[in-house]
Amino acid sequence: MAKLTLAQLTSVLFKACDELRGNMEASEYKEYIFGVLFLKRCSDLFDQQRESLAANLRQRGLDGERLTEALGSRDQYTFFVPPEARWNTIRHLKEDIGNGLNRALGELERHNKDLLEDVLEHINFNRKIGQRTLSDDTLVGFIQVFESIPLRDENFEFPDLLGAAYEYLIKFFADSAGKKAGEFYTPADVVRTMVEIVDPKPGMSIYDPTAGSGGMLIQSRDYIRDNGGDPQNLTLAGQESIGTTWSICRMNMILHDIPSADIRQEDTLAKPQHRDANGELTRYDRVLANPPFSQNYNAKAAEFPGRFSVWMPEKGKKADLMFVQHMLAVLKNNGRMATIMPHGVLFRGGEEKEARKLFIERGWLDAVIGLPPSLFYGTGIPACILMMNKEHAAERKDVLFVNADREYREGKAQNFLRPEDMAKIVDVYRKRADAPGYARVVPIEEIAAEDYNCNIRRYVDNAPPPEPQDVRAHIHGGVPTKEIAALETYWSNYPGLREACFAPRAADPAYFDFAPEIASRRDIAALARGHHGVVTAHAGFMQRLEEWWRCNLPAVAQLAPSQGQGGNVYALRRALVADISAAFADQKLLNDFQIRGAMARYVDELKADLKSVAASGWGAELIPADELLQSQFPELVEELASKRARLEELQALFAAGDDEDFEDDEDSGVMPGSEVKRLKEEAKTLAAQLKAMTKEAKAAAADLVTALAGRAHSGAFKLGGSLGEPDFEAAKRIVGVAEKAGADELFVAPVRKLAEEGPAAAGLMASIASRLKRHKALEDEAKALKAELRAAEKKQEELVAQARAKITPDEARDVLLERFRRKLVETYRAYLDADRRSVTLAVENLHAKYAVTVREIETARDRAAAELGGYLKALGYV
């Protein structure tokens, strides 16, 4: 059986999310996903261990009741799963499924109190969402998704696969939850930066007083493993006040194979839970935290008041530095801690100033690191990292201030630290040296002179210098030579580009003109993109990168297990980062932070695949399905793409149709839902009216036969057609005959009404039917496309499975290594493209300032004023 990859597992888990997404918000159903995933894992692991134990016991001669009794011993299993919680029971639930799932989770918890007490039982599948609970049909579909996920150890491509998938889910729910995500998730890039700053070592104790979902503790373990240390003897502890978040954290630890992590639930400021044998607060080597910003607290409820040297106001949302003091109280005398704080704690007066003074005078405050805006869920306010270090605190006479708030990647909902941003923060902290506009080591005396105000910009102002403006150039034209020279880094990197952009003024060396090729600002990007110096420099870099890849290819290829022992992904990561940094040390296109950061990002994005290779070898299941389809079945891919594009076009049409100001300018035939409903009702009304007119006309025609007996032939009064489709010509004929015969108007009027009003009603009905038919044809097409796509996707899965079955491990290795190479090239190509865009923007800025002179603007103004005056005079206004 093929091993389960991270991509496959996360894909199935997201299908489970889809089953619930239409019924509730992600913040509401995340517990259901986590709970059933955990239940399925425990059940599959129990079955695996039970089968292994049974085989072992049978070899030792046990059978019958003795075997059954031995298999029922709870001490034999990681988790003892009672019959009510076993997947074989869950999968057959068809009625009252909410209660069945609740019972399963409750029984699993009750039989494993030592690890799961209070973790699962609170999850309630019968909880009302609005006015109703989840239906049995919905829950059956939900369970069936998990039915397709095998979660035994032997099913995983690498040991920590389930933990990695759990992290994907937590990130997914954080992205979906918006503001509420801050309660349980700190962005991984910020966490990694903090972990690298505190630099935990094997054998240490690490604590998070506001643990959330446990990311800081898990990343601390991963950091030690990444750096070649043994994480097995770490002591991990955390506390979380929110019950559901605490439950998620406990499950996260277990699924990451860290069941020994001591995670407690309670308010940390009021009742810290971790205590030593003497009842005193436990102390730790490293403390990491992202406490809730700006909350109130209750001083009277706070146990261990000795933790707090300076009490903050209970009201006014000033508990931030209370958390800091708690962390310092549980930090060992040679320990380090890092915590995220709002900027207000750096400069506010009163008790917060006294706390800062205490931290600084005792030498505890090691560094203040300003972070970019909008990194965190639910808040756009700027935040910082306070780094406290008790080691050598008595000798500490300064504080490092780092202003990193301008270096980040922008996102739609929030911003992110790039690998090079993280690397720069950590590097500057470790070197503890000044970096103009970025970092400065500030003596304590200077901070004291500022009344212990730690506002970062007081000490490190990273505001860009004012934009230079050359008045002479604005008036007479030309680009100042000194402003062009300020871009010397680009000119040295891209030989000839300066000469391609600017032409010297023979009589005025202090100024240049734009080259004739730059007729407008739009020309600059095209010039830079195609310039020989740029193309050559980038090609040279990429050629060196290809050579570097060929040299390091054996190290990547040797990841696969040999003689039962696979390679070490973490050692490979360290080796590749160090090697590429050394190999590209002499080039100037990218700085060292970018070189190392890009490689770290590259390996991290491929980490799941690399772990799979190290654990299970070069398997075809690691080749992405879309790549296999593109290479083996390009016609199918093209057909699917065409159908998806058409379906998206139709869905966009229907969505646009429901807009309030929609007009079908392209005569597509689509109509708003309200218009469809109105037309159907109008058609129904018209049909009823026409039917009634016809019925009355037919009755009148029969009366005419009786009334005009002997004066006209009875056949003349036959009104053909059905009630819904009358013969209007016959009606006109009857009216003519009746009028000539002198028939009573009482009998003629209904037939005349049909003859005169009927055609218009029928025509309107036909027009409505035509419009509805066109709209329904589009709906039917969309429905058919959806069905075809579902069938094609199922066929697609079968074709992918067939293609994978034919690929040998050697072929898979070649395909995957080529994919890894392409990914490497794409990663660094993106950095080179960003550098080209930077020089483009710099030249465009000069063009925006100096391409048009003040004299030209005045001339154009005068010309426009004269032209306007002529129009006004011609119109007689002046």
Side-chain angles (χ1 to χ4, degrees), residues 770-822:
S770 174
R771 291 182 66 190
L772 289 174
K773 183 178 179 181
R774 288 186 69 195
H775 181 84
K776 189 173 187 306
L778 295 174
E779 290 183 325
D780 290 344
E781 183 185 0
K783 189 181 296 183
L785 283 170
K786 287 179 182 177
E788 290 169 11
L789 283 170
R790 281 195 297 269
E793 285 166 1
K794 187 173 181 181
K795 179 184 177 183
Q796 191 175 278
E797 292 173 4
E798 295 170 357
L799 291 173
V800 168
Q802 293 170 13
R804 283 194 173 125
K806 297 176 183 178
I807 298 174
T808 67
D810 287 345
E811 291 171 335
R813 179 197 60 211
D814 293 343
V815 171
L816 288 168
L817 286 174
E818 173 57 22
R819 176 169 164 259
F820 293 172
R821 184 199 68 79
R822 289 199 311 271

Side-chain angles (χ1 to χ4, degrees), residues 653 664 666-671 771-772 774-776 778:
L653 272 175
D664 191 12
E666 298 180 7
D667 192 29
S668 64
V670 74
M671 294 184 291
R771 291 182 66 190
L772 289 174
R774 288 186 69 195
H775 181 84
K776 189 173 187 306
L778 295 174

Side-chain angles (χ1 to χ4, degrees), residues 582-656:
F584 283 79
D586 61 335
Q587 61 77 46
K588 303 299 182 185
L589 280 175
L590 304 180
N591 62 46
D592 188 51
F593 297 121
Q594 292 173 316
I595 292 290
R596 289 190 287 127
M599 179 53 61
R601 172 183 170 189
Y602 164 75
V603 177
D604 288 345
E605 288 181 354
L606 290 174
K607 187 176 285 186
D609 286 347
L610 296 173
K611 284 182 176 180
S612 295
V613 171
S616 306
W618 299 97
E621 62 273 6
L622 294 177
I623 303 173
D626 56 347
E627 290 187 17
L628 273 176
L629 287 167
Q630 189 63 56
S631 62
Q632 302 294 319
F633 312 102
E635 300 85 2
L636 176 61
V637 172
E638 186 176 350
E639 179 188 349
L640 284 173
S642 174
K643 288 181 177 179
R644 287 194 186 100
R646 177 55 180 162
L647 180 59
E648 289 172 3
E649 180 184 348
L650 289 173
Q651 290 172 333
L653 272 175
F654 291 132

Side-chain angles (χ1 to χ4, degrees), residues 201-429:
K201 303 293 184 186
M204 283 187 170
S205 56
I206 304 170
Y207 171 66
D208 183 349
T210 54
S213 56
M216 293 198 181
L217 299 176
I218 291 170
Q219 284 223 41
S220 295
R221 182 203 65 169
D222 292 348
Y223 172 79
I224 289 172
R225 193 165 54 185
D226 288 356
N227 286 278
D230 180 7
Q232 295 303 315
N233 58 351
L234 274 179
T235 298
L236 300 179
Q239 187 165 328
E240 172 57 44
S241 63
I242 301 173
T244 55
T245 304
W246 171 83
S247 172
I248 291 171
C249 183
R250 286 290 300 131
M251 286 188 275
N252 199 10
M253 294 298 163
I254 292 169
L255 293 177
H256 273 88
D257 196 25
I258 320 175
S260 61
D262 185 5
I263 311 298
R264 310 281 182 89
Q265 184 192 351
E266 190 49 87
D267 182 334
T268 299
L269 292 184
K271 297 180 180 180
Q273 295 294 297
H274 296 86
R275 306 176 188 187
D276 60 22
N278 298 319
E280 297 297 323
L281 293 177
T282 306
R283 293 182 158 223
Y284 298 93
D285 297 294
R286 298 288 186 267
V287 179
L288 293 152
N290 178 15
F293 286 2
S294 306
Q295 71 170 22
N296 295 320
Y297 76 102
N298 186 344
K300 292 180 181 178
E303 299 177 358
F304 297 94
R307 293 176 287 166
F308 309 114
S309 300
V310 182
W311 290 82
M312 301 297 124
E314 290 181 66
K315 304 298 181 182
K317 300 183 177 181
K318 297 290 182 64
D320 303 293
L321 292 185
M322 297 297 286
F323 279 107
V324 174
Q325 291 182 84
H326 165 76
M327 288 182 261
L328 284 165
V330 299
L331 189 66
K332 289 182 179 179
N333 289 332
N334 60 347
R336 298 182 197 171
M337 60 161 276
T339 181
I340 297 168
M341 286 281 127
H343 270 238
V345 304
L346 300 178
F347 53 79
R348 287 194 293 251
E351 291 83 352
E352 287 176 300
K353 186 193 84 168
E354 294 305 313
R356 291 195 302 272
K357 180 179 179 182
L358 174 72
F359 303 155
I360 292 169
E361 289 182 343
R362 294 197 180 180
W364 292 338
L365 183 59
D366 189 15
V368 179
I369 302 169
L371 297 174
S374 301
L375 290 181
F376 302 95
Y377 291 93
T379 178
I381 66 171
C384 63
I385 297 173
L386 294 187
M387 175 64 196
M388 303 284 186
N389 189 350
K390 284 190 175 181
E391 189 172 22
H392 308 305
E395 294 86 43
R396 188 165 291 114
K397 302 301 180 186
D398 49 46
V399 176
L400 173 66
F401 284 83
V402 179
N403 197 345
D405 65 0
R406 288 185 175 273
E407 301 187 7
Y408 59 94
R409 176 172 65 88
E410 287 188 355
K412 290 182 180 179
Q414 63 186 110
N415 298 326
F416 304 90
L417 290 176
R418 299 166 298 184
E420 59 266 32
D421 304 327
M422 299 157 59
K424 186 173 181 180
I425 290 171
V426 174
D427 185 74
V428 166
Y429 171 76

Side-chain angles (χ1 to χ4, degrees), residues 160 172 254 283 354 458 471 554 728 855:
D160 200 25
F172 167 76
I254 292 169
R283 293 182 158 223
E354 294 305 313
R458 281 184 179 244
V471 176
F728 299 118
R855 300 295 189 207

